[in-house]
Amino acid sequence: MTENEATAPTPPSRLRGPVEVIGTGLLGTSIALACRRAGIEVLLTDLSPEHVRTACGLGAGRARQADDRPQVVVVAVPPDHLPEVLVEALDVTRGTDAVVTDVGSVKSAPYNAVRHHPDVRRYVGSHPMAGSERSGPLAAHVSLFEGRPWAITPHLDSDVEAVETVEELVRLSGAVPVWLTPHEHDRAVARTSHVPHLMAALTAGRLATAPATHLALSGPGVRDVTRVAAGEPTLYGQIVTANSEAVLDLLGEVRRQLDQVMTAIELGDRATLEGVLALGAAGTRAIPGKHGGPARPMQSVWVSVPDTAGQLAKLLADAVESEVNVEDIRIDHDPARPVGLVELVVEEVRAEHLLDSLEARGWTTHR
Amino acid sequence: MTENEATAPTPPSRLRGPVEVIGTGLLGTSIALACRRAGIEVLLTDLSPEHVRTACGLGAGRARQADDRPQVVVVAVPPDHLPEVLVEALDVTRGTDAVVTDVGSVKSAPYNAVRHHPDVRRYVGSHPMAGSERSGPLAAHVSLFEGRPWAITPHLDSDVEAVETVEELVRLSGAVPVWLTPHEHDRAVARTSHVPHLMAALTAGRLATAPATHLALSGPGVRDVTRVAAGEPTLYGQIVTANSEAVLDLLGEVRRQLDQVMTAIELGDRATLEGVLALGAAGTRAIPGKHGGPARPMQSVWVSVPDTAGQLAKLLADAVESEVNVEDIRIDHDPARPVGLVELVVEEVRAEHLLDSLEARGWTTHR
């Protein structure tokens, strides 16, 4: 592990540690690694001693001892166990100022579990918008949260200091804090995460038993739509169940619109069908862009790149020598050929220059 | 434009040209460019003289004259107009051996339009699995089809020579031919393209009127699920309508399973919910992989990369000097930070070596 200036976080002032992480899965271990990077002591707890050993081996901290006194407790257990573990965390730290937070995907259920606890002021919920199709401590990495939104969900009785401490934890992990109430948070993630996941699963389910000749026509589109459905079914079952109210509201909207679409297709009612498609297109434009700023006009430049070591690096080096900054790269997952098509996304005003320059350097571009 | 050995197609023997392209949009103009690359004469026809001029300006061919005699006619018009233009193409070429094909997204409707035509033997349908959220001749590029599946859908009365000529057109464009009957093709694309598009649109539609605080929690997952819904509503309305039977069959399955999911969430019936999610996960594994071959085990290596010119190229160059071939790159679209997280996908057996080597060269990796 090396460090460079660009990723060094602002030093925290309230968050001194030790930080106890309960649950050393993907999220818990990644948070522990981020705390360790900042020099903060980390205590690890998990029902599985093997997970704790693995996380310790990764440099995420040490196993918690009975007499340890954490300043902050991060509960990072699966949604089904979250309410009980949160209550226990507040109980165990009675009489201290320990801040208790959690990183569960749903925020109303854990808040409801502790709202009548005498120490509820020490609890502030949170939820990093990061994850992976993989799970467990070995999937963790210190920059899992880099640049990602991380919701902080204070309630009416939250101590200001507790909220500020959680904010420091968020910033120390490289994430961008977003403040919401627990209720609004749950409505937001139903929309941006849970319902999209279910829709991806329903779409992917149609492929599971499809003939191979049908699947041979799969392009990048269906891969994109279904990708998140690869996530762990048990975990997503827990998440969706814990947010049932908001998810069912939205699924009700989806179902009404699906019925409209089916009737429109049957009747050849093109206006209704196009209306639903146009609403979808508007939805894709509503998602905030990279860097959150106003979108600069971008253009794609396509280049053929032989699928052998070094060619992609050479292409990027040539783009740099052309003094064009590559904002994004997409490599086409072609099903059968040894030549890849690489899409370089650059500022529109620089695209023509890049094409000329790459061609002069012998690349096959595609105008 | 430059050429290199790796992309040079096998020279065609049946396909000599001229090739007439009717409809100089994204697909038609891209096919024309691929023919021109192979030295074949291309005649361009479009209701819009401006589109023809633009395509000519791109080097896609010349405007068709009344006395031109095409060897192959490629009909690349929107689905609504496809049947009539196909019939006209067969009529106009009566008494010749001209092969007529089309590149429409649906194959039963055009076949039904010409199946009783006296010259139906000269017609063979086809459908390249390529496209873009953009449209028109300016969006065309010569390698749009590189490595993509391209369905060829012969019928019982197709001439063998016509089928072989279309196959040569497919290979010349860099695509991989996949043979299906028109009926099976339509069932396949309903599953791998039309229904995924509608599901993406229904999901994205929920974002169109969402509060900004909800959208601030958007992560890569929802972007992936909704990306294709950015496509042109009128065009997709035509495509879905032309394939109504197969699309409605699948949407019926989706709707039944959506009902199951909603009931399961309401009742807390976790087994049913997990069953649907597990079927979705199985579906994602059913999609064929890159290069179509057996999957080698891959591992991701994460590296922090400052978002300034040259850093990405330097990273790739360092990977090359480490003698590790990068199979895929993903750049995280972080909403607010000037440091990107880059995921390099490499063979599992080389990942540890790459991490060590990049760290030794001063990169911030994330284990």
Side-chain angles (χ1 to χ4, degrees):
Chain A
M1 178 83 48
T2 66
E3 288 288 332
N4 70 36
E5 292 303 312
T7 56
T10 322
S13 58
R14 293 196 183 281
L15 181 63
R16 299 170 309 274
V19 171
E20 179 181 6
V21 173
I22 304 179
T24 53
L26 169 68
L27 293 180
T29 305
S30 296
I31 293 167
L33 289 169
C35 289
R36 291 299 304 131
R37 175 178 63 183
I40 290 171
E41 187 177 6
V42 177
L43 317 169
L44 302 169
T45 306
D46 199 295
L47 287 180
S48 152
E50 198 188 317
H51 274 197
V52 171
R53 272 196 303 275
T54 303
C56 290
L58 295 170
R62 63 171 176 83
R64 189 202 159 150
Q65 307 298 320
D67 59 347
D68 281 325
R69 293 284 167 270
Q71 185 219 354
V72 175
V73 180
V74 180
V75 180
V77 302
D80 275 0
H81 304 290
L82 186 48
E84 52 174 313
V85 178
L86 261 188
V87 170
E88 200 186 321
L90 284 174
D91 285 346
V92 166
T93 52
R94 281 304 294 274
T96 76
D97 288 330
V99 173
V100 175
T101 188
D102 74 293
V103 294
S105 310
V106 168
K107 299 271 64 83
S108 296
Y111 172 53
N112 289 334
V114 299
R115 67 190 301 172
H116 300 302
H117 193 284
D119 277 14
V120 66
R121 61 180 177 80
R122 295 192 283 115
Y123 168 71
V124 180
S126 86
H127 176 209
M129 306 310 295
S132 167
E133 285 92 51
R134 299 195 304 145
S135 57
L138 283 171
H141 53 102
V142 71
S143 283
L144 185 69
F145 311 108
E146 201 69 37
R148 293 294 178 84
W150 185 325
I152 305 175
T153 57
H155 51 86
L156 292 174
D157 300 315
S158 296
D159 271 352
V160 171
E161 287 181 23
V163 177
E164 288 173 355
T165 305
V166 171
E167 182 185 345
E168 283 188 1
L169 179 72
V170 169
R171 293 198 189 275
L172 167 153
S173 302
V176 181
V178 178
W179 284 265
L180 291 160
T181 64
H183 177 72
E184 273 307 300
H185 168 275
D186 288 357
R187 297 198 336 124
V189 290
R191 205 185 278 281
T192 57
S193 173
H194 306 167
V195 166
H197 191 100
L198 288 169
M199 296 294 276
L202 290 172
T203 310
R206 308 280 73 70
L207 306 175
T209 55
T213 45
H214 288 197
L215 295 169
L217 297 188
S218 301
V222 66
R223 280 172 223 273
D224 280 351
V225 176
T226 58
R227 185 169 293 120
V228 295
E232 225 264 284
T234 315
L235 175 63
Y236 280 92
Q238 292 186 24
I239 292 172
V240 166
T241 305
N243 198 18
S244 57
E245 195 184 314
V247 168
L248 281 174
D249 274 358
L250 279 171
L251 287 183
E253 287 182 27
V254 166
R255 206 184 104 153
R256 279 191 293 280
Q257 205 158 55
L258 175 59
D259 284 346
Q260 273 179 20
V261 165
M262 291 178 74
T263 307
I265 295 174
E266 258 183 276
L267 301 179
D269 169 6
R270 207 65 81 80
T272 299
L273 180 57
E274 282 179 22
V276 172
L277 291 167
L279 189 69
T284 64
R285 292 189 296 271
I287 301 176
K290 191 182 177 189
H291 302 316
R296 284 166 297 163
M298 291 289 158
Q299 187 174 321
S300 293
V301 165
W302 279 271
V303 187
S304 283
V305 177
D307 190 7
T308 53
Q311 290 300 309
L312 196 54
K314 184 170 176 306
L315 173 64
L316 271 288
D318 283 353
V320 171
E321 287 189 21
S322 313
E323 297 184 340
V324 176
N325 195 19
V326 174
E327 292 283 325
D328 203 357
I329 296 181
R330 299 184 197 112
I331 304 177
D332 203 340
H333 286 241
D334 50 86
R337 288 176 68 99
V339 176
L341 192 62
V342 173
E343 181 180 359
L344 303 175
V345 181
V346 301
E347 280 192 81
E348 193 176 289
V349 292
R350 300 293 285 159
E352 194 60 31
H353 166 72
L354 179 62
L355 281 163
D356 291 343
S357 174
L358 290 178
E359 286 161 13
R361 289 161 201 265
W363 291 98
T364 305
T365 66
H366 308 292
R367 288 169 179 268
Chain B
M1 176 81 50
T2 67
E3 287 287 332
N4 68 38
E5 292 302 314
T7 55
T10 321
S13 58
R14 292 197 182 281
L15 182 63
R16 300 171 308 274
V19 171
E20 179 181 8
V21 174
I22 305 180
T24 53
L26 169 68
L27 293 181
T29 305
S30 296
I31 292 167
L33 289 169
C35 289
R36 292 297 305 131
R37 175 179 62 182
I40 290 172
E41 186 176 8
V42 177
L43 317 169
L44 302 170
T45 307
D46 198 294
L47 288 179
S48 153
E50 197 188 318
H51 273 196
V52 172
R53 273 196 303 275
T54 303
C56 291
L58 294 170
R62 63 171 176 81
R64 189 200 160 149
Q65 308 298 322
D67 58 349
D68 281 324
R69 294 285 167 268
Q71 183 219 355
V72 175
V73 181
V74 180
V75 180
V77 302
D80 275 359
H81 304 289
L82 186 49
E84 54 175 310
V85 178
L86 262 188
V87 170
E88 199 185 322
L90 284 174
D91 286 345
V92 167
T93 52
R94 281 304 295 273
T96 76
D97 288 329
V99 173
V100 175
T101 187
D102 74 295
V103 295
S105 311
V106 169
K107 299 270 65 82
S108 297
Y111 172 53
N112 288 335
V114 299
R115 66 189 301 171
H116 300 300
H117 193 285
D119 277 14
V120 65
R121 62 179 177 81
R122 294 193 285 115
Y123 168 71
V124 180
S126 85
H127 176 210
M129 306 310 295
S132 166
E133 285 93 49
R134 301 193 304 146
S135 56
L138 283 171
H141 53 102
V142 72
S143 284
L144 185 68
F145 310 108
E146 199 70 35
R148 293 296 179 84
W150 185 327
I152 304 176
T153 57
H155 51 85
L156 291 174
D157 300 314
S158 296
D159 270 351
V160 171
E161 287 182 24
V163 177
E164 287 174 352
T165 305
V166 172
E167 181 185 346
E168 283 188 359
L169 179 73
V170 169
R171 294 197 189 275
L172 168 154
S173 302
V176 181
V178 177
W179 284 265
L180 290 161
T181 64
H183 178 71
E184 273 306 300
H185 168 276
D186 288 358
R187 298 198 334 125
V189 289
R191 204 186 278 281
T192 58
S193 174
H194 306 167
V195 166
H197 191 101
L198 289 169
M199 295 295 276
L202 290 172
T203 310
R206 307 281 72 69
L207 306 174
T209 55
T213 46
H214 287 197
L215 294 170
L217 297 188
S218 301
V222 67
R223 281 172 222 272
D224 280 351
V225 176
T226 58
R227 185 170 294 120
V228 295
E232 226 263 283
T234 314
L235 175 62
Y236 280 91
Q238 293 186 25
I239 293 173
V240 166
T241 305
N243 198 17
S244 57
E245 195 184 313
V247 168
L248 281 175
D249 274 357
L250 278 172
L251 286 183
E253 287 182 27
V254 166
R255 193 184 183 287
R256 278 190 293 280
Q257 204 159 55
L258 175 60
D259 282 348
Q260 273 179 17
V261 165
M262 292 178 73
T263 308
I265 295 173
E266 259 182 276
L267 301 179
D269 169 5
R270 205 66 80 80
T272 300
L273 180 57
E274 282 179 23
V276 172
L277 292 166
L279 189 69
T284 63
R285 292 189 297 269
I287 301 175
K290 190 181 178 188
H291 301 315
R296 284 166 297 162
M298 291 288 159
Q299 187 173 322
S300 292
V301 165
W302 278 271
V303 187
S304 283
V305 177
D307 190 6
T308 53
Q311 290 299 310
L312 197 54
K314 183 170 174 307
L315 173 64
L316 271 288
D318 283 352
V320 171
E321 288 190 18
S322 313
E323 299 185 338
V324 176
N325 195 20
V326 174
E327 292 283 327
D328 202 358
I329 295 182
R330 300 186 196 110
I331 304 177
D332 203 342
H333 285 242
D334 50 87
R337 291 176 65 102
V339 177
L341 192 62
V342 173
E343 181 180 357
L344 303 175
V345 181
V346 301
E347 279 193 81
E348 196 177 286
V349 293
R350 299 293 284 159
E352 194 60 36
H353 167 72
L354 179 62
L355 282 163
D356 290 344
S357 173
L358 291 178
E359 286 161 13
R361 290 159 200 266
W363 291 97
T364 305
T365 66
H366 307 292
R367 289 171 179 265

